Amino acid sequence: MAEAHDTGKLLGINKDFLPEFVYGGIDGAITTFAVVAGATGANLDIPVVIILGFANLIADGFSMSVGNFFSTKASLDNYEKHKATEYWEVENKRETEVEEIRDIYRKKGFEGDLLEQVVEVITSDKEVWVETMMKEELNMTKDDKSPYQTAGMTFFSFLLIGFIPLAAYVYALVFDTSKANLFIYACLLTGLAMVIIGILKSIVTQKKIVRGIAETLFLGGIAAILAYYAGAVLEGLFR
């Protein structure tokens, strides 16, 4: 955590984008591992496992990043809409808005001449005035990250972490190595990825690291078990 405070980065990731990295990484690892588990349960060949895995990576990762893009854009648009309304009210309902500033700081404990000085300073600068109303009255702050940045980080994380469950299968196919125990290797690699994501998740949510790791491993394990047995059952039905 000290690394994040000193350099603004953690494991090479800008700390401002940690939520997006964790969000994309968790979903990428869990969904891709679920595909691998389901394909293994159905006794599918390695090329099929890889095809299904990469199809999931690209399609699901893109879909997730698009959803993140529109969510972030909607939030920014909503902020700008309310900010425009506040500018209009400052221009056209000045006395009402001045009184609102006075009420806000009166509730904070300011009174008398000090209160009036604070009101005068804030209302003398329209930008400061509007920003104060946005934060204090509407509880709204602007996110400096653009929709493109958040969507890009989500997609990158989904692809990077989501590839890990497939790594053993790709290695076995490319280098024509033993096909035995591939699913076990995939489980171990995915477990390691989940541990890393769990640690990052704990930093983002400011919860205990052990709890973050346990939650991530539990969710990934449940998804894998369900997918594995779904694949095994369906393979038995269509045999």
Side-chain angles (χ1 to χ4, degrees):
M1 277 188 234
E3 180 188 351
H5 289 300
D6 294 339
T7 66
K9 293 186 177 182
L10 184 67
L11 299 178
I13 305 164
N14 188 320
K15 64 180 182 180
D16 292 334
F17 291 96
L18 272 180
E20 286 77 22
F21 187 87
V22 170
Y23 178 55
I26 288 176
D27 200 54
I30 290 178
T31 57
T32 307
F33 187 53
V35 169
V36 170
T40 302
N43 292 315
L44 300 181
D45 292 333
I46 290 178
V48 177
V49 174
I50 293 174
I51 290 170
L52 292 176
F54 274 101
N56 169 78
L57 270 181
I58 296 171
D60 208 11
F62 182 74
S63 174
M64 190 177 187
S65 64
V66 168
N68 186 289
F69 173 86
F70 284 115
S71 176
T72 304
K73 189 175 186 302
S75 178
L76 289 174
D77 289 345
N78 185 50
Y79 179 89
E80 293 299 332
K81 181 186 74 173
H82 282 86
K83 187 174 182 178
T85 300
E86 288 298 329
Y87 268 112
W88 184 89
E89 291 179 347
V90 164
E91 292 280 356
N92 297 278
K93 300 168 63 178
R94 181 179 177 84
E95 292 307 316
T96 300
E97 294 300 296
V98 169
E99 189 58 35
E100 287 183 358
I101 288 289
R102 186 175 287 112
D103 286 341
I104 287 170
Y105 282 89
R106 184 182 292 117
K107 292 176 181 177
K108 292 179 180 290
F110 293 85
E111 56 186 22
D113 291 340
L114 180 58
L115 173 61
E116 294 307 314
Q117 290 174 14
V118 170
V119 172
E120 183 179 355
V121 169
I122 291 175
T123 56
S124 65
D125 187 320
K126 191 179 297 182
E127 182 67 25
V128 172
W129 189 354
V130 170
E131 291 294 339
T132 300
M133 295 298 290
M134 292 294 292
K135 182 177 180 180
E136 301 292 344
E137 182 186 32
L138 302 178
N139 295 315
M140 297 180 71
T141 56
K142 186 175 182 179
D143 191 343
D144 293 330
K145 296 177 290 187
S146 76
Y148 296 100
Q149 290 175 315
T150 58
M153 178 56 74
T154 301
F155 189 50
F156 168 75
S157 176
F158 193 101
L159 293 180
L160 179 66
I161 307 300
F163 172 75
I164 292 175
L166 289 171
Y169 291 86
V170 173
Y171 183 88
L173 184 66
V174 171
F175 295 99
D176 195 26
T177 59
S178 172
K179 307 301 189 289
N181 301 319
L182 284 182
F183 185 60
I184 293 176
Y185 296 144
C187 289
L188 293 174
L189 289 172
T190 305
L192 178 60
M194 295 282 190
V195 168
I196 295 172
I197 289 296
I199 292 172
L200 295 177
K201 175 175 172 288
S202 298
I203 294 173
V204 170
T205 59
Q206 296 184 341
K207 294 181 179 179
K208 293 182 178 180
I209 290 178
V210 173
R211 179 178 176 181
I213 293 173
E215 288 177 346
T216 308
L217 287 173
F218 176 76
L219 290 175
I222 292 297
I225 291 170
L226 291 175
Y228 181 89
Y229 283 105
V233 170
L234 290 173
E235 193 271 340
L237 290 176
F238 293 104
R239 183 179 300 171

